[in-house]
Structure formats: structure tokens, C-alpha cells
């Protein structure tokens, strides 16, 4: 039996992972499932999958979780330390699908155990890519990308020599406001931003798709994961979301990964790797699709993309600053403290203030330093949002 743990089991990626595992229950033993506020769902799945342990990230919800699990054999735990403990329990495969930089520490802990890490939590690579890769290497663990674009690149690179890679192109749907006139974006609401044309995802990543901050994170993730130069990485808007990424080689060949948008492909690929097994995803009918279109990823419309380039050039801990500033500015937008068009200026100003002390960015990429700089960037973001309001 393959021992499986899912971090962020109650979320969109977590539920898709359970959907795949649930189709083949005899093959898998669920070790731990984690969630946050959605206690009922967490307990329901932990009982139904006969998990050893269920953990909520919120220490104040331990009693609720105990209650929801009463009468079952599932152990209950809560809080950040319980998450780390869950990550250190022996497992063969762990899905990292917490949203935000909160996913970093549990992911690192799993790698330290030598566990294969299926990584949906792109924030881990953005905040501490080199630390993730070196930890995996030191403990003989593998990291399998689950972000659809990075899974696509990973698959296109199998059997290839990295030295022959000229460029990597990741696609973006363009999100909810792709076709809006720029003048209207100032009045865009969180509710409007949280609807995605093609993908069904959690609220935060869906809004990040509308602002293109999701693609910005993914550009940085590409650089960190595949260790290629920023100048080799491009983003292109592809409204149909059928091609997820392309790898260009020095002989001019472009290898594309094509398929209908369904995260169970990338999750299933990581689950069965290095084998390929049958997956319950729709098969693409090219004739029915008819055509695919592409547009430039305009950095004026989506300043997040320009900021991502600056972050890739700056390196060091600037990815952690960028991510934390974005997380906080996104909170501000969801809480209607700032407008949609203020998300990027807040992030840019945080980057500028924190980077003014070069020592902040050039400090070693350790978990402690990432936690420190993440905290500092959030404080700066709050200050800036208060200044805007004032
Ligand atoms: P989601 O909001 O649906 O789920 C997030 C999960 O994380 C939930 O289980 C929630 O309980 C948990 N969580 C939230 N805050 C937490 C905290 N502070 N500590 C511990 N747990 C916490 O998000 P999602 O759409 O499933 O995305 C999860 C991750 O996968 C993100 O990093 C996202 O960028 C990435 N991703 C998602 C998709 C997608 O299709 N949904 C695609 C590619 C990458
Ligand atoms: Mg993606």
C-alpha cells in the first residue's frame, strides 16, 4: 500500500487528489489529512478515508475537530506544530496543497523524511526554491510539480538534456478580466475577480489569475524549479487553456503539453510517476476544439509580470518578499481595503521598501530568514495599505 498524506486536503487541489485516491482505495493508505477552517469536510474525509490523523491549522478549532471525529479512530491535532508533526510521519507521497507561504515549512519537513513531494504549493518554490531543491537532494527525496504549467514542462523535459533547452513558455488564460477595458479594472470587485473562465480553483488563486499574480508566481517558480535563466522564460496568453506549457529546444523544436483544463491530470501524473496510469480526464477532441489562440502577456495591463521579472533578476529573498506582499495585498483586496488596481502598486512598494536594505534580500535562504522576511513584508504591506486609505 502506498502511504499518502494530503496537506490542504479540504481545498480544490486536495479534493481532486482525494477524488483520484478514492477511485483506487485498495492501493492507498491515508496517513494524514490537513485543513484549516473547514472542520466538517476535514473530518468527513478523514473518516471516510480511514486516515490515521486529521489536523486543522487553527489551534482554536481543536475541540471542534475532536467533536467532529468522535466515535471514529482518527486522531485529531491542531496548530502549526501539529502540521509539522504530520509532515514528519512516514509516508511515500505527500501532496503539498496548502495555499500561501504557510505550505513551506511542512513541505520542507516532508522532504527531510525523504518523502516524495507533489508540489501544488508554488509559494514554496517562490519563497525558497534553492532551499527546497537542496533539501530534496540532501535527503534523496523528489519534488514533482503539480502546477499544470510546471507539470507540463517537467513532462516535456523527460529524457531531454537541459543544455539543449532554449526557452520555456507557460500559458495564461488571462483570468476573469482578460477582455475588460483597462479603465474598468479600477472598479473590479473580489466577487468578479473570483470567477475563472476555464479552471475551477480556490478563491485566492482565482483572483491571482485575474491580476496575473498567479502567472507572476509561476514565472518565478519556473526559474527556481528548472534552474533556467529569466531570459529563457516567457508567458503567453492563451484563452482556451488547452496548451499548458511549451519547451523550446536549440534545434527549433517546440514540445507542447496539450489537454483540457483538469488538475487531476497533473495530480495523477505526480501520483503515479514515473509510471503513466489511466486517469479519469476528458480526452481532447482537436476537431471539436477547432482552433487555439494566443495573445501577448501585456505588462502594462498586468504589472505583476514586470514585477516577476524584477524579482527573478534580484534573486535572493526577493521572491519571499514578493509573495508575502502579494498575499497581504490580496487580503486587502478581498476585504475591500484596496482596489484591484492597487494590488500591484502595494506589492511594488513593499519590494522597494524592504529591498532598500540590501542585506534583507541577500541574506541566506533559510527557513528562519524566509519566515522573518515574510513577516516584515506583511507589516510593510499593511502600512502601505493604511497610507493609501488615509
Ligand atoms: P484552496 O483555497 O482551495 O485550498 C487551500 C487549502 O489550504 C485548504 O485545505 C485550507 O484549509 C488550507 N489552508 C489555508 N490556509 C492555511 C494555513 N494558513 N495553514 C494551513 N492550511 C491552510 O486552494 P487551492 O486552489 O487548492 O490551491 C492550493 C495550492 O495549490 C496553492 O498554492 C495554489 O496556488 C496551488 N495550485 C492550485 C491549483 C488549482 O487548480 N486549484 C492549480 C495550480 C496550483
Ligand atoms: Mg498553474
Amino acid at each position: 500500500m502506498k502511504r499518502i498524506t494530503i496537506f490542504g486536503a479540504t481545498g480544490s487541489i486536495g479534493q481532486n487528489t482525494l477524488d483520484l485516491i478514492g477511485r483506487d482505495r485498495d492501493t492507498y493508505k491515508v496517513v494524514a489529512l490537513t485543513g484549516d477552517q473547514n472542520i466538517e469536510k476535514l473530518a468527513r474525509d478523514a473518516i471516510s478515508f480511514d486516515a490515521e490523523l486529521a489536523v486543522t491549522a487553527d489551534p482554536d478549532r481543536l475541540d471542534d475537530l475532536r467533536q467532529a471525529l468522535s466515535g471514529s479512530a482518527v486522531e485529531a491535532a491542531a496548530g502549526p506544530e501539529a502540521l509539522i508533526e504530520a509532515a514528519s510521519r512516514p509516508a511515500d507521497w505527500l501532496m503539498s496543497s496548502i495555499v500561501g507561504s504557510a505550505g513551506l515549512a511542512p513541505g520542507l519537513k516532508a522532504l527531510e523524511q525523504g518523502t516524495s513531494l507533489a508540489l501544488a504549493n508554488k509559494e514554496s518554490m517562490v519563497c525558497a526554491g534553492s532551499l527546497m531543491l537542496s533539501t530534496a537532494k540532501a535527503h534523496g527525496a523528489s519534488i514533482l510539480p503539480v502546477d499544470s504549467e510546471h507539470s507540463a514542462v517537467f513532462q516535456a523535459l523527460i529524457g531531454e538534456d537541459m543544455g539543449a533547452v532554449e526557452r520555456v513558455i507557460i500559458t495564461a488564460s488571462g483570468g476573469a478580466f482578460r477582455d475588460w477595458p483597462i479603465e474598468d479594472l479600477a472598479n473590479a470587485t473580489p466577487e468578479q475577480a473570483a470567477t475563472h473562465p476555464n479552471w475551477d480553483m480556490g478563491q485566492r488563486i482565482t483572483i491571482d489569475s485575474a491580476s496575473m499574480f498567479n502567472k507572476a508566481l509561476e514565472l518565478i517558480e519556473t526559474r527556481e524549479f528548472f534552474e533556467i535563466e529569466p531570459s529563457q522564460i516567457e508567458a503567453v496568453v492563451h484563452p482556451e487553456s488547452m496548451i499548458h506549457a511549451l519547451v523550446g529546444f536549440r534545434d527549433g523544436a517546440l514540445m507542447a503539453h496539450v489537454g483540457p483544463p483538469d488538475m487531476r491530470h497533473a495530480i495523477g501524473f505526480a501520483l503515479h510517476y514515473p509510471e503513466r496510469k489511466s486517469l479519469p480526464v476528458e480526452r481532447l477532441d482537436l476537431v471539436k476544439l477547432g482552433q487555439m489562440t494566443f495573445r501577448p502577456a501585456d505588462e502594462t495591463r498586468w504589472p505583476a509580470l514586470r514585477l516577476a521579472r524584477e524579482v527573478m533578476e534580484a534573486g535572493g529573498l526577493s521572491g519571499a518578499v514578493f509573495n508575502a506582499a502579494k498575499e497581504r495585498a490580496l487580503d486587502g483586496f478581498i476585504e475591500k481595503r484596496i482596489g484591484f488596481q492597487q494590488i500591484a502598486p502595494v506589492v511594488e512598494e513593499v519590494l522597494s521598501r524592504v529591498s532598500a536594505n540590501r542585506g534583507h534580500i541577500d541574506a541566506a535562504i533559510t527557513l528562519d530568514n524566509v519566515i522573518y522576511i515574510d513577516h516584515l513584508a506583511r507589516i510593510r504591506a499593511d502600512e502601505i495599505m493604511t497610507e493609501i486609505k488615509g
Side-chain angles (χ1 to χ4, degrees):
M1 294 258 274
K2 190 163 176 173
R3 290 172 61 86
I4 303 271
T5 284
I6 304 174
F7 272 73
T10 54
S12 163
I13 293 285
Q15 292 289 300
N16 275 311
T17 309
L18 284 173
D19 174 78
L20 291 180
I21 288 173
R23 291 163 191 264
D24 200 2
R25 290 197 184 216
D26 296 342
T27 310
Y28 303 106
K29 165 76 196 124
V30 174
V31 179
L33 297 182
T34 87
D36 189 26
Q37 298 304 323
N38 207 333
I39 302 292
E40 293 304 321
K41 199 193 253 184
L42 176 62
R44 180 201 68 198
D45 288 338
I47 293 169
S48 135
F49 281 86
D50 202 13
E52 289 172 15
L53 170 69
V55 187
T56 164
D58 184 350
D60 295 336
R61 304 293 307 272
L62 180 57
D63 283 343
D64 296 340
L65 182 59
R66 282 205 176 114
Q67 189 131 34
L69 289 170
S70 66
S72 78
V74 184
E75 215 180 304
E81 273 141 46
L83 287 176
I84 298 293
E85 196 277 323
S88 63
R89 292 207 181 186
D92 301 302
W93 189 89
L94 186 144
M95 167 56 77
S96 168
S97 56
I98 286 175
V99 61
S101 59
L104 176 61
L108 284 169
K109 182 52 82 177
L111 290 174
E112 285 168 13
Q113 318 304 311
T115 306
S116 288
L117 189 70
L119 190 67
N121 180 263
K122 64 194 80 187
E123 296 89 344
S124 299
M125 291 309 293
V126 172
C127 295
S130 61
L131 178 62
M132 292 288 290
L133 295 185
S134 63
T135 306
K137 196 167 175 202
H139 298 277
S142 40
I143 307 178
L144 301 160
V146 171
D147 218 342
S148 55
E149 299 76 7
H150 306 77
S151 174
V153 173
F154 186 91
Q155 294 181 49
L157 285 172
I158 290 171
E160 301 287 355
D161 170 11
M162 279 306 287
V165 174
E166 221 168 47
R167 58 182 179 149
V168 168
I169 305 170
I170 61 174
T171 61
S173 70
F177 305 142
R178 183 181 62 214
D179 299 317
W180 281 35
I182 294 192
E183 315 79 79
D184 292 353
L185 292 177
N187 299 319
T189 66
E191 295 74 25
Q192 290 167 323
T195 55
H196 198 282
N198 307 339
W199 294 93
D200 181 14
M201 310 185 287
Q203 180 206 33
R204 298 181 70 88
I205 182 176
T206 305
I207 299 176
D208 284 349
S209 296
S211 65
M212 230 21 133
F213 268 97
N214 181 49
K215 212 48 54 183
L217 294 174
E218 291 180 358
L219 288 169
I220 304 168
E221 181 186 12
T222 303
R223 161 153 179 75
E224 296 294 326
F225 201 99
F226 301 103
E227 299 181 280
I228 56 174
E229 293 304 316
S231 59
Q232 294 177 288
I233 311 168
E234 302 161 38
V236 66
V237 174
H238 166 42
E240 295 84 6
S241 294
M242 291 294 168
I243 297 185
H244 308 301
L246 309 96
V247 178
F249 294 93
R250 64 177 162 219
D251 60 357
L254 258 184
M255 305 295 280
H257 185 283
V258 192
D262 183 339
M263 285 310 295
R264 292 176 306 172
H265 172 76
I267 296 167
F269 176 81
L271 180 63
H272 301 305
Y273 182 80
E275 288 178 63
R276 279 195 191 268
K277 293 201 177 157
S278 176
L279 292 173
V281 298
E282 188 192 331
R283 272 48 176 174
L284 181 60
D285 182 333
L286 287 169
V287 174
K288 210 162 124 198
L289 175 65
Q291 61 177 0
M292 291 192 273
T293 58
F294 304 91
R295 307 179 196 172
D298 175 359
E299 295 190 3
T300 312
R301 176 181 272 274
W302 294 297
L305 300 173
R306 171 177 55 78
L307 296 178
R309 298 240 160 254
E310 291 171 16
V311 166
M312 288 192 284
E313 293 302 338
L317 288 168
S318 61
V321 175
F322 178 74
N323 177 68
K326 188 283 294 175
E327 286 193 37
R328 215 47 208 125
L330 175 59
D331 292 337
F333 173 62
I334 292 171
E335 293 157 13
K336 305 198 174 171
R337 292 172 63 199
I338 59 169
F340 184 74
Q341 291 295 68
Q342 288 168 317
I343 301 173
V346 168
V347 174
E348 183 160 21
E349 185 59 20
V350 173
L351 275 167
S352 149
R353 290 192 195 177
V354 176
S355 313
N357 180 344
R358 197 57 224 185
H360 279 146
I361 300 301
D362 292 339
I365 301 176
T366 62
L367 180 57
D368 283 349
N369 286 345
V370 170
I371 291 171
Y372 171 79
I373 207 80
D374 176 290
H375 186 65
L376 185 67
R378 283 169 202 261
I379 292 172
R380 292 286 170 270
D382 281 335
E383 282 169 10
I384 294 160
M385 288 193 284
T386 306
E387 286 167 23
I388 291 176
K389 266 265 178 223

